[in-house]
Amino acid sequence: MSRRVRRVALIVAAQMIAAVLAPGTVAQADAQASSRSTCYKFKDSERAFARKINATRSSRGKGKLRLDPELSRVARQHSREMVKKGLLFHQTSSQFARRITNWTMIAENVGYGSEVGELHRAFMGSPLHAANILNSSYRFVGTGVVTVGNQMWVTVIFEARSNPGTSLQMPRC
């Protein structure tokens, strides 16, 4: 698939969802979420997305985002779902409400391509994706990457609250 087609897919996907959704109602104890998050294993590509996002934010005078294990767990699950369906799509607001706890403002970028740098450039080339990356209200980011062959599928979730959590099962320490 050509870069142009991938970029068009990213732009179309961004137009399918609003950047800010209504908050979910699921509650979870912050202490429980914090203890589960310490054993989550990030992939190198997931850390690379967070580094690219933070480098871009820093170059534009924005604060860095904390790479959050719970948001990343949700993001990785969504990337797996996209791979399974062979389709680029966003999570619904009800999926966010079920999967992510303690949030006030949330956004999501999704895409696929051959490598982190290419996807990050495509996100920054899309006004809606770039707006999510550069939004000053966000404090946390979750990245989820699933690679099949030479295709990397990514979900990036941005969140504004002080301690997002998830209702998904996290690894035990």
Side-chain angles (χ1 to χ4, degrees):
M1 180 176 280
S2 74
R3 285 183 184 198
R4 177 170 161 55
V5 171
R6 278 192 293 267
R7 184 173 175 171
V8 169
L10 288 170
I11 293 169
V12 169
Q15 294 170 345
M16 292 170 50
I17 191 168
V20 179
L21 301 171
T25 58
V26 179
Q28 180 175 352
D30 289 345
Q32 180 184 6
S34 177
S35 68
R36 292 188 314 195
S37 68
T38 59
C39 297
Y40 188 78
K41 303 285 189 238
F42 291 100
K43 296 177 182 180
D44 290 343
S45 54
E46 292 165 341
R47 289 187 186 279
F49 270 106
R51 281 192 303 272
K52 291 268 189 200
I53 288 166
N54 279 330
T56 299
R57 287 175 63 89
S58 290
S59 74
R60 308 269 177 101
K62 308 290 182 183
K64 290 185 177 182
L65 302 177
R66 188 181 117 213
L67 181 58
D68 185 79
E70 280 97 6
L71 290 178
S72 294
R73 169 72 174 91
V74 173
R76 194 183 294 169
Q77 177 173 318
H78 184 66
S79 292
R80 281 191 199 110
E81 292 168 351
M82 291 190 300
V83 166
K84 184 176 180 180
K85 291 183 179 185
L87 182 66
L88 193 65
F89 62 95
H90 287 279
Q91 296 179 79
T92 65
S93 57
S94 63
Q95 285 172 316
F96 279 124
R98 284 191 314 272
R99 295 174 177 175
I100 301 173
T101 62
N102 304 325
W103 60 277
T104 56
M105 191 169 99
I106 200 160
E108 176 181 71
N109 288 354
V110 298
Y112 64 94
S114 59
E115 56 99 24
V116 173
E118 171 192 12
L119 284 162
H120 182 72
R121 285 188 298 278
F123 284 151
M124 291 309 298
S126 160
L128 294 173
H129 287 96
N132 288 340
I133 290 169
L134 297 172
N135 188 318
S136 296
S137 297
Y138 296 127
R139 300 288 177 260
F140 295 88
V141 66
T143 57
V145 173
V146 175
T147 303
V148 178
N150 63 353
Q151 286 295 312
M152 175 182 292
W153 294 72
V154 64
T155 302
V156 182
I157 301 172
F158 303 90
E159 207 281 323
R161 190 161 172 124
S162 62
N163 189 9
T166 184
S167 59
L168 301 179
Q169 187 168 343
M170 293 295 288
R172 294 208 181 272
C173 297

